[in-house]
Structures are given as structure tokens and as C-alpha cells.
Amino acid sequence: MVALLSVLRERGQVPLSDLAAEFGASAATIRRDVALLAAQGLLERTHGGARPGKRGGELPVHLRDGHNQLAKQYIARGVAAMIPAGRHAIGLTGGTTAAEVMRQLRNRGDLTIITNSLTIGLEAADLGMARVLMVGGVLRRSSLELVGSLAEQTLKLVNIGTAIVGADGLSVDAGLTTHDEVEARTNLALIERAQRVIVACDSSKIGHAMLAKMADLSQVQVLVTDSGASDAQLDQLRVTGLEVRVVQLPAED
């Protein structure tokens, strides 16, 4: 389904017959997938086809897990290696890359996990992590994050050693960006409570800007991304003073 949405974003309106040919699927399968995505507001059905939805292209969290998964795993390993030994509080925004970082830290019984993500909080508990602090707030359905003034007020009461932040876009001009303004403000509250901020995002986000600004690059100490990002893009980021760490992905066969 992620691939189907990508085709619509690239081409605009596409006939169902073309989508079926593109993915080697039956007409019935394509109609079913289009209907499911339309029900979630991710695309609009047209006569005999489909076109991108009006909600800005944000995927629900349950559809993001398989997207650039290998890169996210390598990035998460790199971020996890940067967390100091001993008792430490880490703040995690929502998102699949931040969730992968938490999984890489599952054997660290000396950590306190602070998050506004239901997905990360519940999985941290399932993994047996000793201390998990969930930030309250209004549930944002597409990302399963708790956001808003209650979440921001709660974050003002905690001290975070390292914040691990995901982003939907990161660029020199726009800084860190995401799809939703309320979510951006909540993530900024977490960033402002941290002694060190690490942005963990795959190369597909570099050079892009979404609707809502989360933070300036000056509020971030380290970016960890994968080798799919261009040297020119990364050099531009380094000029701002941002430390950029690149994890090398295995070569494709």
C-alpha cells in the first residue's frame, strides 16, 4: 500500500488498470486496496482510478513500519551506541525510527524511557524496560502520539539526558519539520528539556520540508542518517554546525 501511495504522489491521478499492471495485481485486489486507503483519507477515488488525498500524504503509523526498514535499523543501531552507560533518561518522539532505537536499547535496564508515543510506550513495557514514563495528552490518530498543552506541561516537569527525535523533513532552510503543528509543538517541548538532541531519520527525509516546523537545526547536536543521502546535502548541514553521522547500508545484490 505504501508503494501504491508513492505512485499516486508521483503521477497524480492514475487509472486502476494502470495500478494493477504496475503491481502485477488483479483488478479486485487493487480496488480493495484503494477502498481501504480511501477510507483512511490517504487517497481519493475517481471514476475508474485514484488520486492523492488532501491530507498531506502522511501515512498512518501502522503503514510506516516496512518503509525504508533496513535503513532505520542501521540508523537505530548507530543511535543506540551513542547512549552513555549508566542511569540515563532518554526522550523519544513518535515514529518508526525512534521505535527502532528503543528496540535496540531493550537490554538497558538502567534507562528511563520518556515518550508521548503509545506505540513506543507499550512496546517498551512489553520488552520489560524498567522505567517508562508516558506523557499524557490528546491522542493523534494517525501517529498514535499524545499531543497538546497537557503533554507540553508534563514535559516541563522532567529532565532528559538525550532526546531521540524523528522528523518527516529536515533541511537547512526549514530545520526539523513534520506534518502536524500540534505534534510539532509537543516535540519541541521534549527537545527543549534535553541536554542533547539526536535526530534519527533516513535519507529520504533529508532536504525536504513538511508543513509544521518542529525546531531549528541550532537546537540539535547530532543527525544520524544513512548513506543514501547525497554528500552535497550532508555538507550543507555540516556547515550549520550540526554533527552528521552516516551509517553505511549494505550494497544491494
Side-chain angles (χ1 to χ4, degrees):
M1 290 190 184
V2 174
L4 190 155
L5 291 171
S6 296
V7 169
L8 295 183
R9 284 197 295 269
E10 291 173 4
R11 304 182 195 172
Q13 184 169 323
V14 181
L16 295 182
S17 57
D18 288 0
L19 291 172
E22 177 84 20
F23 298 109
S26 67
T29 297
I30 290 297
R31 283 196 299 270
R32 182 198 65 202
D33 289 349
V34 165
L36 286 172
L37 293 169
Q40 298 176 70
L42 295 169
L43 57 75
E44 295 180 0
R45 301 177 72 173
T46 63
H47 182 68
R51 63 188 177 198
K54 297 179 180 179
R55 58 184 292 179
E58 181 183 10
L59 291 175
V61 69
H62 69 277
L63 289 180
R64 302 180 201 170
D65 286 343
H67 191 56
N68 292 336
Q69 187 60 27
L70 182 63
K72 292 174 182 179
Q73 290 173 352
Y74 274 71
I75 290 167
R77 291 173 194 169
V79 173
M82 298 171 64
I83 304 303
R87 296 180 63 181
H88 196 70
I90 65 170
L92 293 159
T93 65
T96 52
T97 308
E100 190 62 42
V101 174
M102 184 272 299
R103 296 180 193 118
Q104 296 293 327
L105 295 168
R106 61 187 175 274
N107 296 321
R108 289 285 305 273
D110 50 0
L111 295 178
T112 297
I113 304 296
I114 301 168
T115 186
N116 67 321
S117 166
L118 288 182
T119 304
I120 291 175
L122 290 172
E123 187 168 355
D126 286 342
L127 291 173
M129 302 193 81
R131 289 173 57 84
V132 181
L133 188 158
M134 287 293 303
V135 173
V138 177
L139 178 63
R140 186 165 181 264
R141 186 177 65 176
S142 62
S143 63
L144 295 181
E145 290 176 76
L146 298 164
V147 300
S149 59
L150 179 58
E152 293 162 30
Q153 290 299 318
T154 304
L155 287 167
K156 290 179 181 179
L157 301 176
V158 299
N159 294 309
I160 298 170
T162 302
I164 299 165
V165 180
D168 295 305
L170 186 152
S171 67
V172 171
D173 294 331
L176 272 64
T177 57
T178 189
H179 290 276
D180 181 75
E181 294 178 359
V182 178
E183 182 178 310
R185 288 197 299 269
T186 301
N187 289 347
L188 175 59
L190 184 145
I191 288 169
E192 291 177 337
R193 298 302 300 167
Q195 297 175 21
R196 179 177 63 161
V197 179
I198 301 173
V199 175
C201 69
D202 66 77
S203 57
S204 69
K205 315 292 178 58
I206 305 299
H208 297 284
M210 299 297 114
L211 172 68
K213 183 171 183 176
M214 191 189 316
D216 292 317
L217 293 185
S218 61
Q219 296 171 277
V220 177
Q221 283 70 55
V222 186
L223 164 67
V224 182
T225 189
D226 63 85
S227 52
S230 73
D231 291 339
Q233 288 175 324
L234 298 181
D235 287 343
Q236 287 180 342
L237 293 169
R238 291 186 177 102
V239 168
T240 70
L242 180 65
E243 179 184 347
V244 178
R245 299 193 181 190
V246 180
V247 297
Q248 294 296 319
L249 299 181
E252 296 182 0
D253 295 334

